[in-house]
Amino acid sequence: MRDVVDRLKAEVAALHAELPRNNLVVWTAGNVSARVPGADLLVIKPSGVSYDDLTPESMVVCDLFGTLVEGTRSPSSDTAAHAYVYRHMPEVGGVVHTHSDYATAWAARREPIPCVLTMIGDEFGGDIPVGPFALIGDDSIGRGIVETLRTSRSRAVLMANHGPFTIGSDARDAVKAAVMVEDVARTVHLARQLGEPVPIPQDDIDRLFDRYQNVYGQGSAQ
């Protein structure tokens, strides 16, 4: 177990660097977490620490109620939300939260991002939904994430007036979803400056999603 936790600390620390690299966060906002396989634990960054100062050793380990079990710093202020997702969605291995500009702008309008691009169909399987408004400090945000994503194929939710949260099979998968949701949020915003984007029919969305999820890429055998 020690080796697994140490590996995840290194992985989560490295993945945090992808957030500023992809212009998804400013200052110390945003966070990446990973579930520890075989244990009711998660790895997440400490609260309020500069991205430049994040190292594997600075990562903290919490239980699935957000209680610190390893580390010397306070966990991210969003830890309760991450922990709630892990408790109620056992298939999730990674959670990411950002305040990326375009996705957060859609969240501020409390408007789903419509499935008008093949990339949205591929990655999210339909519209990217809006979750309820919730205050930081307890697991209210986590409840909103779970309630919204349980009725959607999307791996991203725009929490109202807050910003995007994404989930994945592992932390890297969740970071990819965070990058993708910002990309499509920007593109759909640009399309709307030219006119009303045309939705993709549901049958085509289903085919896109199935191909991308089950056929695209090199496959597990390569």
Side-chain angles (χ1 to χ4, degrees), residues 3 18-19 56-57 90 103 105 116 120 133 139 141 148 164 171 187 205 217:
D3 288 347
E18 296 296 331
L19 303 188
E57 294 74 27
V116 296
I120 300 176
F133 178 76
D139 60 13
I141 293 173
T148 305
T187 303
I205 293 172

Side-chain angles (χ1 to χ4, degrees), residues 106 109 111 114 116-117 186-199:
W106 286 84
R109 300 205 312 265
E111 183 177 357
V116 296
L117 301 169
R186 179 175 58 249
T187 303
V188 178
H189 169 77
L190 292 172
R192 288 177 68 167
Q193 309 316 298
L194 303 173
E196 190 60 32
V198 178

Side-chain angles (χ1 to χ4, degrees), residues 3 17 21 25 61 75 84 108 114 124 128 138 150 156 168 206:
D3 288 347
R21 183 177 295 134
V25 296
V61 180
Y84 189 92
F124 302 104
I128 299 169
D138 58 19
R150 273 183 172 165
D206 292 342

Side-chain angles (χ1 to χ4, degrees), residues 87-156:
R87 290 203 311 275
H88 292 86
M89 302 182 77
E91 71 279 12
V92 171
V95 179
V96 173
H97 172 48
T98 78
H99 294 160
S100 58
D101 293 344
Y102 285 86
T104 301
W106 286 84
R109 300 205 312 265
R110 301 191 182 189
E111 183 177 357
I113 301 173
C115 191
V116 296
L117 301 169
T118 58
M119 183 182 289
I120 300 176
D122 288 343
E123 188 71 35
F124 302 104
D127 295 355
I128 299 169
V130 174
F133 178 76
L135 295 175
I136 300 172
D138 58 19
D139 60 13
S140 298
I141 293 173
R143 290 199 303 272
I145 294 168
V146 170
E147 289 167 4
T148 305
L149 294 185
R150 273 183 172 165
T151 59
S152 172
R153 290 190 298 200
S154 177
R155 296 189 299 119

